C-alpha cells in the first residue's frame, strides 16, 4: 500500500535537460516543484581524476542499469523482440543531469525546413514524394516562433559557435566564440573550401571560453581533455543540467529533489492526472505523490512507456494506422563515411572534446535539390575530434585480419594516422517503426518493458548511398593514402549501431488525431500532463536533438505556468 503524500502544484519525472529546465523556470517563478529522479545526485567533484575509459565508456557507470530496466527490440513485426542486454546504441542516462552529464555537447538548432517539412516538401516536389507509409508532418509552430526559446537555451548553456546563414535567422550570435581548429579540422576546411563548400565549426556546449550565464552561473573553459563523450566534465566546462539549471532551481528553495525515486505510473482518471506513483529504490517503499500538474521528462523511451503503462493517450496501432502514443519513433543514419589512412602524417588524435568538429551545410535539409532522389532531407558531413581512447580505438584498413600479429602492427602503425569524413543523416518516420509495450518482458518492478519495432527504411538507405559519394569526394580532396568508403546501410542492430539520438513517440502537432501533445507539449487527452523531450519531435533531423528539446522545454515551462493560472487547453 502506497503512502500518500501531501498534494503539490507540480511533479517533474526525471531530472535531465528537460526536467532541469522546467524545474528551474517554474521555481524561479515561485512555483514549488517536486523533482523525482530514479538515479543518484551528481556534481562536478564526482568526476575529479575520472579519466577511466573502462569504468565510464565500457562499463557505462553513468548509464541506466540494464539489469533493472531495458528496452526490447525487433526489426519488424514478424520477429519476436528481445531485451537489449548490453549497450551498443541508446546509452540512456540515469541520475541528476541525465544523459546531459555524459553527452558530447553538439548543440544545434533545427532548420526552418524541419518545422514545416510536410508543407515545404509538398510545395516543392508535389504531394506524395515519399509515399503514404512515411507520415511526415509539420510541427505546428515555425522556426521563427522557436527562435526566442533557442536563444534562451543557448545563453543559459553558453553555446560556442559560428553563424551559418542558411540555418535560419538568429536574434543574437552564439554567446561564445567557436572552438579551436585542430590540424585534421583544418585539412577538412581546406579540402571542402577547394570543392566550393562553406565549412563551419560545430556549435558546442563545451565552453570555448569562461562564461557567466544570465542566471549568474559561471563556468570555466574546456581543456580539450578528450574524456567527454560518456564522461562527466571535471571542469564544469561542459554544459550539464547538474551545473546549470538544477543548481538554479535548488537555490530558489522551491525544488524538493528526491533521488532514487522511480516513477512507475501516472495516476489518472482518464482525462486528468491526479499525481504519480513512485518507488524509493533504496528502501523499496511505495509513495503516491498527488499533484496539480505532472511533467513527464523521463526521456523518449520512458516518456512513452510511462504513458502506455498508465493508460494515458491512445496507443498507436500500425495496422489501422490510428492512435498516437508510440507513433513516429525515428532514429538517425550515420553509416555514410570514408575512413582515411595516412602513410607519412601523424596527428594528435588523443586530444579533443565532445563537440569539437567541423562540418558543411550544403547537404542538410533541403539545401540541395531532391527532385531526382528517393529521399528528402540530408546529412551533416563532418570531421570531428572527440579524442580517441586506447581500448576503443584500433582502427585498421579494410582487409586487415581482425586479430593476430598483422592486426597489432597495423593498429599501432595507424594509431595516430587515421580519421574519417563522416556523416549524420536525418531519418523520416515510417508507419511500421514504432514503440509499444512488450507483451513478455518486464522490469525489476514488474512493469512491461518498452518494445521498439525499428529498421532502416528505403529512404534511409538511399540517403546513405548518396551521402557516401560526397564523403568519398572530400576524402580524395584531402589526399589520404587509403580511403575505405562505406556506402551501404545494413539492417539496424541494437548492439552495434552507435547513434544516440532517438525521437518521437509522443509527437507534437495541431491535430489530436495525428499528434499526442500540442505545441506547449500539453497532452490533448489530459490537459494537466506535459510530456517534454525529443519524444515530441514528429521526425528526426540530421542535427543532434538537445538544442531543440531544450528550446521546447522553455516553451513548455511557459505553457505550464499559463495552465496553472488559467487551466484548460492552451491552444
Ligand atoms: C553518449 C551520448 C552523447 C550525446 N551527445 C549529444 C550531443 O552531442 N548533442 C545532442 O544534442 N545530444 C546528444 N546526446 C543526446 C542528449 O544527451 C539527450 O538528447 C538529452 O540529454 C535528453 O535529455 P532529456 O532530459 O530528455 O532526457 P535524459 O537526459 O535522459 O533525462 C531523463 C532523466 O529521467 C530519469 N528517469 C527516467 N525514467 C524515470 C522514472 N521512471 N522515474 C524517475 N526518473 C526517471 C533518468 O534517470 C534521467 O535522469 C547524447 C547522448 C548520449 C547518450
Ligand atoms: S573535453 Fe572539455 S567539456 Fe569535455 S569533459 Fe573535457 S574539459 Fe570538459
Amino acid at each position: 500500500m502506497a503512502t500518500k503524500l501531501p498534494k503539490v502544484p507540480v511533479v517533474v519525472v526525471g531530472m535531465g535537460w528537460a526536467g532541469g529546465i522546467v524545474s528551474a523556470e517554474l521555481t524561479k517563478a515561485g512555483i514549488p516543484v517536486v523533482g523525482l529522479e530514479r538515479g543518484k545526485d551528481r556534481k562536478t567533484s564526482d568526476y575529479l581524476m575520472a579519466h577511466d575509459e573502462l569504468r565510464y565508456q565500457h562499463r557505462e557507470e553513468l548509464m541506466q542499469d540494464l539489469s533493472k530496466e531495458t528496452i526490447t527490440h525487433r526489426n519488424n513485426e514478424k520477429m519476436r523482440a528481445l531485451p537489449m542486454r548490453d549497450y551498443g546504441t541508446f546509452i540512456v542516462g540515469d541520475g541528476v543531469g541525465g544523459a546531459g552529464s555524459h553527452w558530447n555537447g553538439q548543440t544545434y538548432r533545427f532548420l526552418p525546413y524541419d518545422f514545416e517539412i510536410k508543407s515545404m516538401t509538398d510545395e516543392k516536389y508535389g504531394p506524395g514524394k515519399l509515399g503514404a507509409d512515411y507520415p511526415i508532418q509539420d510541427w505546428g509552430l515555425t522556426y521563427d516562433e522557436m527562435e526566442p526559446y533557442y536563444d534562451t537555451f543557448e545563453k543559459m548553456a553558453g553555446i560556442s559557435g559560428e553563424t551559418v546563414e542558411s540555418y535560419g535567422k538568429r536574434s543574437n550570435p552564439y554567446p561564445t566564440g567557436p572552438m579551436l581548429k585542430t590540424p585534421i579540422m583544418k585539412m577538412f576546411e581546406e579540402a571542402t573550401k577547394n570543392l566550393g563548400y562553406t565549412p563551419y565549426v560545430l556549435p558546442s556546449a563545451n565552453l570555448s571560453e569562461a562564461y557567466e550565464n544570465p542566471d549568474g552561473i559561471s563556468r570555466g573553459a574546456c581543456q580539450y581533455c578528450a574524456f567527454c563523450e560518456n564522461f562527466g566534465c571535471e571542469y564544469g566546462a561542459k554544459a550539464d543540467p547538474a551545473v546549470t539549471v538544477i543548481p538554479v532551481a535548488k537555490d530558489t528553495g522551491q525544488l524538493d529533489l528526491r533521488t532514487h525515486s522511480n516513477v512507475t505510473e501516472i495516476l489518472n482518471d482518464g482525462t486528468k492526472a491526479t499525481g504519480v506513483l513512485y518507488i524509493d529504490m533504496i528502501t523499496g517503499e511505495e509513495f503516491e505523490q498527488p499533484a496539480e500538474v505532472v511533467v513527464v521528462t523521463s526521456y523518449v523511451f520512458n516518456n512513452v512507456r510511462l504513458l502506455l503503462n498508465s493508460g494515458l493517450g491512445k496507443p498507436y496501432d500500425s495496422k489501422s494506422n490510428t492512435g498516437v502514443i508510440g507513433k513516429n519513433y525515428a532514429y538517425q543514419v550515420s553509416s555514410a563515411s570514408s575512413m582515411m589512412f595516412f602513410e607519412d602524417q601523424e596527428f594528435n588524435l588523443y586530444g579533443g572534446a565532445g563537440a569539437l568538429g567541423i562540418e558543411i551545410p550544403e547537404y542538410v535539409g533541403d539545401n540541395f535539390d531532391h527532385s531526382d532522389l528517393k529521399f528528402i532531407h540530408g546529412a551533416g558531413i563532418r570531421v570531428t575530434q572527440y579524442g580517441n581512447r586506447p581500448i576503443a580505438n584500433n582502427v585498421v584498413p579494410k582487409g586487415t585480419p581482425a586479430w593476430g600479429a598483422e592486426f597489432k602492427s597495423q593498429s599501432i602503425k595507424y594509431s595516430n594516422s587515421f580519421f574519417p569524413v563522416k556523416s549524420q543523416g536525418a531519418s523520416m518516420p515510417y508507419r511500421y517503426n514504432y514503440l509499444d509495450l512488450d507483451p513478455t518482458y518486464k522490469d525489476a518492478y514488474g512493469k512491461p518493458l518498452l518494445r521498439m519495432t525499428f529498421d532502416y527504411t528505403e529512404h534511409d538507405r538511399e540517403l546513405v548511398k548518396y551521402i557516401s559519394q560526397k564523403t568519398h569526394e572530400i576524402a580524395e580532396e584531402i589526399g589520404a593514402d587509403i580511403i575505405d568508403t562505406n556506402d551501404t546501410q545494413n539492417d539496424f542492430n541494437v548492439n552495434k549501431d552507435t547513434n544516440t539520438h532517438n525521437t518521437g513517440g509522443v509527437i507534437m502537432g495541431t491535430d489530436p488525431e495525428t499528434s499526442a501533445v500540442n505545441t506547449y507539449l500539453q497532452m490533448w487527452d489530459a490537459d494537466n500532463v506535459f510530456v517534454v523531450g525529443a519524444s515530441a519531435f514528429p521526425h528526426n533531423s540530421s542535427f543532434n536533438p538537445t538544442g531543440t528539446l531544450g528550446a521546447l522545454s522553455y516553451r513548455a515551462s511557459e505553457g505550464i505556468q499559463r495552465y496553472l493560472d488559467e487551466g484548460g487547453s492552451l491552444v
Side-chain angles (χ1 to χ4, degrees):
M1 181 72 182
T3 305
K4 192 165 182 174
L5 301 168
K7 189 171 180 179
V8 294
V10 178
V11 63
V12 173
V13 182
M15 292 301 278
W17 272 125
I21 290 170
V22 170
S23 300
E25 290 306 290
L26 298 185
T27 53
K28 281 196 282 180
I31 300 164
V33 169
V34 166
L36 299 174
E37 166 54 51
R38 67 181 174 186
K40 61 182 180 185
D41 206 357
R42 294 217 200 95
K43 50 196 175 315
T44 301
S45 55
D46 295 345
Y47 308 124
L48 288 180
M49 306 304 288
H51 292 187
D52 185 335
E53 182 184 352
L54 189 61
R55 178 175 167 193
Y56 288 103
Q57 184 167 354
H58 301 283
R59 296 189 174 148
E60 284 124 357
E61 180 164 316
L62 302 177
M63 322 307 180
Q64 171 178 297
D65 180 352
L66 296 183
S67 70
K68 293 206 165 63
E69 180 188 334
T70 185
I71 59 163
T72 69
H73 171 261
R74 56 182 183 169
N75 286 68
N76 59 59
E77 290 176 332
K78 291 191 191 121
M79 297 169 80
R80 175 177 167 183
L82 293 173
M84 176 176 84
R85 306 270 187 204
D86 288 312
Y87 280 117
T89 185
F90 310 149
I91 23 190
V92 182
D94 185 85
V96 171
S101 296
H102 62 75
W103 71 320
N104 291 49
Q106 297 164 23
T107 313
Y108 295 86
R109 298 173 173 203
F110 280 12
L111 302 165
Y113 164 76
D114 278 306
F115 297 100
E116 297 174 86
I117 192 165
K118 168 95 170 102
S119 326
M120 288 192 180
T121 304
D122 286 356
E123 192 182 325
K124 187 160 170 192
Y125 302 107
K129 164 86 178 156
L130 286 187
D133 284 344
Y134 292 90
I136 54 168
Q137 63 188 59
D138 293 350
W139 290 36
L141 85 185
T142 62
Y143 172 86
D144 288 346
E145 290 168 296
M146 282 288 283
E147 206 284 333
Y149 304 108
Y150 276 124
D151 191 54
T152 306
F153 181 77
E154 287 168 357
K155 285 182 181 146
M156 175 278 296
I159 304 304
S160 312
E162 299 181 300
T163 297
V164 180
E165 295 304 334
S166 66
Y167 284 2
K169 275 208 192 94
R170 304 176 56 88
S171 51
N172 288 295
Y174 285 101
T176 54
M179 304 278 281
L180 298 174
K181 287 179 204 155
T182 64
I184 64 167
M185 289 164 68
K186 288 180 184 161
M187 288 165 78
F188 179 86
E189 181 179 39
E190 192 187 327
T192 50
K193 279 186 175 167
N194 290 345
L195 293 169
Y197 301 131
T198 51
Y200 66 95
V201 175
L202 300 191
S204 162
N206 317 140
L207 278 181
S208 62
E209 58 197 79
Y211 177 70
E212 182 177 331
N213 79 6
D215 290 317
I217 299 278
S218 293
R219 292 158 42 224
C222 171
Q223 306 297 306
Y224 299 84
C225 80
F227 288 80
C228 200
E229 179 186 58
N230 293 312
F231 297 80
C233 179
E234 66 181 301
Y235 305 100
K238 172 160 68 172
D240 167 346
V243 300
T244 52
V245 284
I246 294 171
V248 169
K250 281 180 176 167
D251 276 355
T252 63
Q254 299 281 12
L255 174 66
D256 177 357
L257 175 57
R258 300 179 199 156
T259 52
H260 303 290
S261 300
N262 192 70
V263 175
T264 51
E265 197 177 330
I266 303 162
L267 301 166
N268 69 91
D269 62 12
T271 55
K272 273 202 193 305
T274 53
V276 299
L277 210 55
Y278 73 93
I279 294 172
D280 181 318
M281 295 168 75
I282 307 281
T283 63
E285 280 175 282
E286 195 175 28
F287 294 95
E288 179 183 338
Q289 177 59 69
E292 270 173 61
V293 171
V294 174
V295 190
V296 188
T297 52
S298 53
Y299 192 57
V300 172
F301 297 145
N302 263 345
N303 287 358
V304 175
R305 190 164 88 104
L306 270 175
L307 296 180
L308 292 174
N309 273 331
S310 309
L312 265 175
K314 191 170 175 204
Y316 174 65
D317 173 26
S318 67
K319 289 185 186 59
S320 60
N321 207 2
T322 57
V324 285
I325 310 299
K327 176 185 146 130
N328 281 33
Y329 167 75
Y331 189 52
Q332 282 178 331
V333 270
S334 316
S335 295
S337 70
S338 296
M339 181 60 81
M340 300 176 293
F341 297 90
F342 299 82
E343 294 303 326
D344 51 14
Q345 291 189 68
E346 283 204 50
F347 319 103
N348 178 12
L349 300 174
Y350 289 78
L356 186 61
I358 187 161
E359 180 168 75
I360 55 167
E362 276 75 13
Y363 295 103
V364 303
D366 201 38
N367 284 358
F368 58 111
D369 185 32
H370 293 71
S371 301
D372 297 328
L373 301 173
K374 292 187 192 140
F375 64 89
I376 60 169
H377 220 303
I381 298 178
R382 39 158 69 178
V383 156
T384 57
Q385 187 162 348
Y386 304 156
N388 291 346
R389 291 174 209 128
I391 303 174
N393 289 285
N394 285 291
V395 178
V396 288
K398 258 188 201 156
T400 308
W403 60 282
E406 197 184 336
F407 168 74
K408 278 189 202 157
S409 74
Q410 291 291 80
S411 149
I412 292 164
K413 175 178 172 186
Y414 290 112
S415 63
N416 255 324
S417 301
F418 76 91
F419 64 93
V421 176
K422 53 188 183 178
S423 66
Q424 183 168 279
S427 158
M428 292 305 110
Y430 182 59
R431 178 170 173 175
Y432 301 103
N433 285 340
Y434 59 90
L435 306 171
D436 67 356
L437 290 179
D438 192 279
T440 310
Y441 296 98
K442 297 191 164 53
D443 70 7
Y445 306 104
K447 292 283 183 185
L449 293 183
L450 190 74
R451 176 172 67 175
M452 172 186 290
T453 305
F454 175 79
D455 205 349
Y456 296 110
T457 59
E458 277 316 297
H459 172 277
D460 300 341
R461 293 173 205 263
E462 289 290 325
L463 190 149
V464 165
K465 224 186 281 169
Y466 181 83
I467 294 294
S468 60
Q469 294 165 13
K470 309 296 171 196
T471 62
H472 191 84
E473 281 163 24
I474 296 169
E476 282 189 324
E477 183 65 27
I478 288 174
D481 295 297
I482 303 172
I483 303 173
D484 289 340
T485 294
N486 180 56
D487 62 2
T488 308
Q489 181 59 66
N490 293 327
D491 291 347
F492 177 72
N493 182 332
V494 80
N495 295 120
K496 281 211 177 124
D497 284 45
T498 53
N499 185 294
T500 50
H501 305 145
N502 304 283
T503 59
V506 195
I507 65 173
M508 60 195 278
T510 51
D511 179 357
E513 286 297 312
T514 54
S515 59
V517 291
N518 65 27
T519 61
Y520 289 94
L521 311 195
Q522 176 187 35
M523 280 192 84
W524 295 113
D525 289 349
D527 61 13
N528 68 340
V529 178
F530 289 77
V531 188
V532 187
S535 51
F537 299 2
H539 72 270
N540 207 344
S541 183
S542 58
F543 296 134
N544 307 48
T546 308
T548 299
L549 81 85
L552 285 172
S553 305
Y554 281 102
R555 183 173 164 87
S557 306
E558 262 180 34
I560 296 162
Q561 290 179 60
R562 257 185 60 199
Y563 176 83
L564 285 168
D565 288 343
E566 301 163 15
S569 174
L570 297 170
V571 294

